């Protein structure tokens, strides 16, 4: 951090030197980048182009050899399919629910950890732990050891015999996701809190501001970008949630927790409708690009913020 | 004095929050040492005679090949990621190419593409090549999954190399290789370790690709757990033992490197 503050221009803006030496120098600079760039293009962009192509064909793997071009028919089917629309709604509800609750909890934990107290390191380690448990292990742990109606820990401690997963499927999935993602939010927000200038906070205190005023007027505005970053990165990861749905509810009951990734998976491997699955995939990418554009803007603004410091 | 009391009250609150939050994991480990009939009691049994029976069972059911497959996919993909990402990050930081920020954003944009969207062609190609259920397929896919993250992280670590020192080295006649070996590597090696660790964690925990592309021969650790999704009969203690075993490598790695986690997870944008 000290390095950053001492030389802000260099931390954020590598000076692009004039290309002396011409073409040869440019290739020397480019050479180390090329293997990674070419690899990324081949493994990610080429398949996606093929996905776009597949989305314009009517291809069911159970009818091999027959792949007629159908234009935008698959998109029409997908967009008018009630299953897919409910999957879209579920994706938004599950993602937004998990992001909002884990952001709030993460903020509370970050504020607690920003204070000095005995055993702070141990508490931080405890709070990070859920993020490190293998996601599918975490999902199964919640499903069987905590939510189970007969021997689950929640009913065991609080009494009752609620079947949490079938009665409140969305809430059950969101709870599991919040438990796993709160540490992620906490870590980002803690980094934000610790980058606050202590002199300014002290000055505010001397001027007679109380704790709430300082929090409301100084900490929250300072944290805004970190909150945005956490929300957007969290959304990008959580939109892809598959493990939890696959293992806790299998999309059910009915289609109550079927999100887009799980629905596309079903279209691909249960119905073998490759054309429709591809069209749905393209739509998900378009939606993600919208979210990602905002994410990139936030990351760029963090770059600029460091630059101005 | 008042401030100190204040802090210790909040300290107690933090301890309570921490214990509640970590409790499912503690419960998982506790349950893994129970007999099945003790694990499935209501109310829950807090005091019991610990047994290693479930761990023996899990190893008898051959979890070892799954762990080895995971180890192999994670280690090899991590090595490949580091080998590809470090030079790329160098070309985007210390001696940047002309359009360095475009390349940087291109890498991160591939991370933002949902796996399901590009998965079908990959699946079809892998099937066509006869490389389903092959660990090297997983190595390549995990490499592409972690590459953007690694490029961003490594770049943020490389930017911390003081340019004055590099320039001084150049004046003293140090060639590129010498300055990499004597100046750059010593400074970025903790960052390199953190990057590798995060790539390892993501590869180890990956589920979607593994469940669709691997089976008996190259199934990774998460696949071992799939059998527990709709299990019948008494299996809770065994599930907890298996979940503990597969989570352990990442738990230990993450505890050791928690300071670096935030930077990796936010792709180097936040320290």
């Amino acid at each position: 951090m000290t390095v950053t503050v001492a030389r802000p221009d260099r931390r954020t803006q590598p000076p692009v030197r004039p290309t002396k030496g011409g073409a040869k120098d440019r290739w020397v600079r480019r050479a180390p980048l090329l293997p990674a760039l070419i690899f990324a293009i081949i493994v990610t962009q080429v398949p996606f182009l093929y996905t776009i192509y597949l989305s314009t064909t009517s291809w069911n793997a159970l009818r091999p050899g027959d792949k007629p071009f159908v234009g935008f028919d698959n998109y029409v089917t997908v967009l008018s399919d009630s299953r897919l629309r409910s999957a879209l709604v579920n994706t938004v509800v599950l993602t937004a629910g998990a992001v909002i609750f884990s952001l709030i909890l993460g903020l509370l934990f970050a504020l607690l950890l920003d204070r000095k107290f005995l055993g702070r390191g141990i508490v931080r380690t405890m709070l990070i732990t859920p993020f490190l448990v293998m996601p599918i292990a975490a999902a199964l742990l919640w499903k069987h050891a905590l939510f189970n109606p007969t021997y689950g820990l929640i009913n065991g401690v609080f009494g009752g015999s609620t079947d949490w997963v079938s009665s409140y499927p969305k809430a059950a999935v969101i709870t599991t996701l919040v438990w796993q993602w709160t540490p992620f939010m906490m870590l980002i927000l803690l980094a934000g809190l610790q980058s606050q200038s202590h002199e300014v906070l002290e000055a505010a205190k001397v001027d007679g501001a109380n704790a709430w005023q300082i929090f409301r007027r100084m900490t929250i505005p300072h944290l805004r970008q970190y909150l945005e970053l956490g929300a957007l990165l969290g959304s990008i990861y959580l939109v892809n949630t598959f493990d939890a749905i696959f293992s806790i509810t299998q999309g059910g009951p009915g289609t109550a927790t079927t999100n887009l990734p799980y629905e596309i998976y079903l279209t691909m491997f249960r119905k073998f409708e490759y054309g429709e699955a591809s069209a749905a995939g393209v739509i998900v990418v378009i939606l993600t690009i919208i979210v990602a554009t905002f994410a990139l803007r936030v990351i760029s603004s963090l770059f600029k913020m460091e630059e101005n410091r | 004095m008042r401030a100190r009391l204040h802090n210790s009250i909040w300290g107690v609150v933090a301890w309570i929050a921490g214990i509640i939050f970590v409790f499912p994991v503690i419960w998982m480990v506790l349950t893994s040492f129970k007999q099945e009939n003790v694990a499935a009691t209501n109310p829950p049994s807090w005091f019991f005679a610990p047994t290693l029976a479930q761990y023996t069972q899990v190893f008898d059911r051959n979890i070892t090949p799954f762990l080895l497959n995971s180890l192999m996919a994670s280690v090899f993909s991590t090595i490949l990621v580091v080998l590809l990402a470090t030079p790329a990050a160098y070309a985007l930081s210390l001696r940047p190419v002309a359009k360095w920020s475009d390349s940087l954003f291109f890498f991160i944009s591939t991370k933002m593409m949902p796996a399901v969207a590009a998965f079908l062609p990959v699946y079809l190609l892998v099937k066509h090549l006869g490389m389903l259920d092959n660990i090297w397929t997983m190595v390549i896919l995990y490499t592409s999954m972690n590459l953007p993250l690694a490029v961003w992280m490594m770049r943020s670590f490389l930017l911390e190399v003081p340019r004055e020192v590099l320039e001084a080295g150049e004046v003293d006649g140090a060639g590129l290789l010498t300055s990499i070996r004597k100046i750059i590597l010593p400074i970025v090696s903790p960052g390199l370790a953190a990057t590798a660790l995060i790539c390892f964690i993501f590869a180890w925990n990956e589920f979607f690709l593994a469940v669709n592309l691997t089976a008996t021969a190259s199934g990774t650790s998460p696949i071992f757990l799939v059998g527990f999704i709709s299990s019948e009969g008494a299996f809770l203690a065994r599930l907890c033992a298996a979940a503990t075993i597969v989570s352990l490598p990442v738990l230990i790695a993450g505890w050791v490197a928690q300071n670096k986690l935030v930077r990796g997870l936010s792709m180097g944008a936040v320290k």
Side-chain angles (χ1 to χ4, degrees):
Chain A
M1 199 57 93
T2 40
V3 180
T4 313
V5 177
R7 303 177 299 108
D9 53 332
R10 289 184 183 164
R11 165 68 178 80
T12 53
Q13 248 193 341
V16 178
R17 296 175 211 169
T19 44
K20 50 183 179 201
K24 193 174 168 239
D25 184 63
R26 279 205 298 278
W27 277 106
V28 170
R29 277 169 192 251
R30 234 176 259 161
L33 176 65
L34 288 179
L37 201 58
I38 293 168
F39 183 89
I41 290 171
I42 292 176
V43 185
T44 64
Q45 305 305 293
V46 176
F48 182 60
L49 290 179
Y50 196 65
T51 305
I52 296 176
Y53 160 73
L54 286 179
S55 72
T56 63
T57 66
S58 166
W59 183 14
N60 186 308
L62 301 176
R63 301 189 310 265
D66 185 22
K67 283 188 264 184
F69 174 79
V70 293
F72 288 101
D73 280 10
N74 286 322
Y75 290 89
V76 175
T77 314
V78 162
L79 290 173
S80 56
D81 184 351
S82 67
R83 276 186 68 93
L84 241 120
R85 262 182 314 203
S86 96
L88 180 65
V89 173
N90 288 341
T91 308
V92 172
V93 172
L94 293 173
T95 308
V99 168
I100 290 167
F101 287 115
S102 58
L103 206 54
I104 294 171
L105 259 184
L107 176 61
L108 294 177
F109 288 169
L111 288 169
L112 283 175
L113 284 183
D114 195 35
R115 296 165 169 275
K116 280 201 180 69
F117 60 86
L118 200 67
R120 181 164 70 162
I122 302 171
V123 173
R124 187 172 78 160
T125 306
M126 291 197 290
L127 289 174
I128 289 172
T129 300
F131 192 75
L132 300 171
V133 174
M134 180 182 284
I136 184 155
L140 288 169
L141 173 72
W142 277 83
K143 181 186 182 183
H144 292 300
L146 288 109
F147 289 141
N148 185 286
T150 51
Y151 52 78
L153 187 62
I154 296 178
N155 286 345
V157 170
F158 298 102
S161 57
T162 317
D163 187 351
W164 296 97
V165 172
S166 14
S167 317
Y168 309 100
K170 278 202 188 74
V173 171
I174 290 176
T175 306
T176 311
L177 293 174
V178 167
W179 181 72
Q180 279 230 287
W181 284 88
T182 296
F184 173 82
M185 303 300 185
M186 179 190 84
L187 286 172
I188 289 182
L189 295 173
L190 193 59
L193 283 175
Q194 292 178 345
S195 70
Q196 267 195 123
S197 138
H198 282 275
E199 290 85 27
V200 178
L201 291 181
E202 284 300 321
K205 232 178 253 173
V206 171
D207 288 347
N210 64 32
W212 171 248
Q213 284 169 326
I214 292 178
F215 177 73
R216 177 76 190 68
R217 298 284 166 81
M218 300 180 69
T219 305
I220 286 291
H222 171 80
L223 278 186
R224 214 190 95 188
Q225 281 175 309
Y226 295 88
L227 286 164
E228 285 175 351
L229 184 73
L232 289 162
L233 291 179
S235 309
I236 288 163
Y237 282 112
L238 281 159
V239 158
N240 283 308
T241 299
F242 181 79
D243 327 33
I245 309 287
F246 186 89
S247 52
I248 299 180
T249 63
Q250 308 253 285
T255 55
T257 53
T258 303
N259 67 353
L260 282 168
Y262 193 71
E263 175 63 27
I264 294 174
Y265 163 82
L266 292 179
T267 315
M268 226 159 18
F269 289 109
R270 301 284 161 83
K271 296 199 270 177
F272 299 102
E273 288 287 356
Y274 288 178
E276 277 178 30
S278 301
V282 173
I283 292 172
V284 175
V285 169
I286 294 170
L287 295 176
T288 314
I289 287 172
I290 298 171
V291 178
T293 311
F294 285 104
L296 292 183
R297 202 170 294 165
V298 173
I299 294 177
S300 311
S301 72
L302 275 171
F303 273 8
K304 285 209 193 73
M305 195 174 75
E306 290 188 356
E307 206 173 302
N308 295 334
R309 204 153 51 193
Chain B
M1 197 60 203
R2 239 191 83 202
R4 194 182 275 176
L5 183 73
H6 215 69
N7 266 349
S8 58
I9 290 172
W10 285 113
V12 172
V13 173
W15 268 93
I16 294 170
I19 290 168
I20 292 175
F21 211 64
V22 83
F23 199 78
V25 180
I26 294 174
W27 189 245
M28 171 176 91
V29 177
L30 279 181
T31 308
S32 73
F33 290 111
K34 292 176 183 174
Q35 297 285 4
E36 289 296 356
N37 59 339
V38 183
T41 56
N42 186 16
S45 36
W46 298 97
F47 301 100
F48 56 91
T51 166
L52 286 174
Q54 309 311 330
Y55 286 92
T56 325
Q57 270 251 17
V58 168
F59 281 104
D60 282 348
R61 286 184 189 228
N62 251 341
I63 195 177
T64 316
F66 292 90
L67 293 171
L68 289 177
N69 284 336
S70 268
L71 192 68
M72 212 172 130
S74 311
V75 168
F76 282 114
S77 74
T78 302
I79 292 172
L80 206 55
V81 167
V82 168
L83 288 180
L84 287 170
T86 312
Y90 176 80
L92 297 173
S93 58
L94 294 179
R95 285 193 81 204
V97 296
K99 295 195 170 172
W100 60 273
S101 64
D102 291 349
S103 306
L104 206 53
F105 280 115
F106 164 73
F107 278 113
I108 211 65
S109 73
T110 68
K111 183 81 202 158
M112 291 170 179
M113 181 161 68
V116 285
F119 175 69
L120 189 58
V122 171
Y123 171 77
L124 294 171
L125 179 71
V126 168
K127 199 170 138 188
H128 183 75
L129 294 174
M131 284 183 63
L132 282 175
D133 202 12
N134 179 322
I135 208 68
W136 296 106
T137 307
M138 305 318 289
V139 170
I140 291 176
L141 292 178
Y142 290 165
T143 302
S144 79
M145 172 179 91
N146 285 328
L147 188 60
L149 208 70
V151 170
W152 274 67
M153 275 183 84
M154 281 314 297
R155 178 178 175 273
S156 87
F157 289 117
L158 279 169
L159 285 172
E160 278 177 7
V161 177
R163 206 159 302 215
E164 294 83 353
V165 181
L166 271 186
E167 275 158 13
E170 253 168 60
V171 172
D172 289 347
L176 180 63
L177 286 180
T178 319
S179 62
I180 288 178
R181 206 157 43 91
K182 293 265 173 72
I183 303 170
I184 300 179
L185 269 185
I187 295 178
V188 299
S189 53
L192 196 72
T195 308
L197 193 79
I198 280 176
C199 294
F200 177 86
I201 291 178
F202 277 108
W204 183 273
N205 284 347
E206 201 285 329
F207 179 69
F208 177 75
L209 297 170
V211 80
N212 287 312
L213 294 172
T214 71
T216 45
S218 68
T220 54
S221 318
I223 306 308
F224 185 81
L225 294 180
V226 169
F228 290 101
I229 287 175
S230 45
S231 286
E232 300 288 331
F235 67 97
L236 184 65
R238 185 151 42 88
L239 163 65
C240 286
T244 307
I245 294 170
V246 299
S247 300
L248 206 58
V250 165
L251 277 174
I252 293 170
W255 285 335
V256 171
Q258 45 180 300
N259 288 328
K260 307 279 182 189
L261 271 180
V262 60
R263 192 158 179 186
L265 296 172
S266 53
M267 298 158 194
V270 175
K271 281 194 284 178

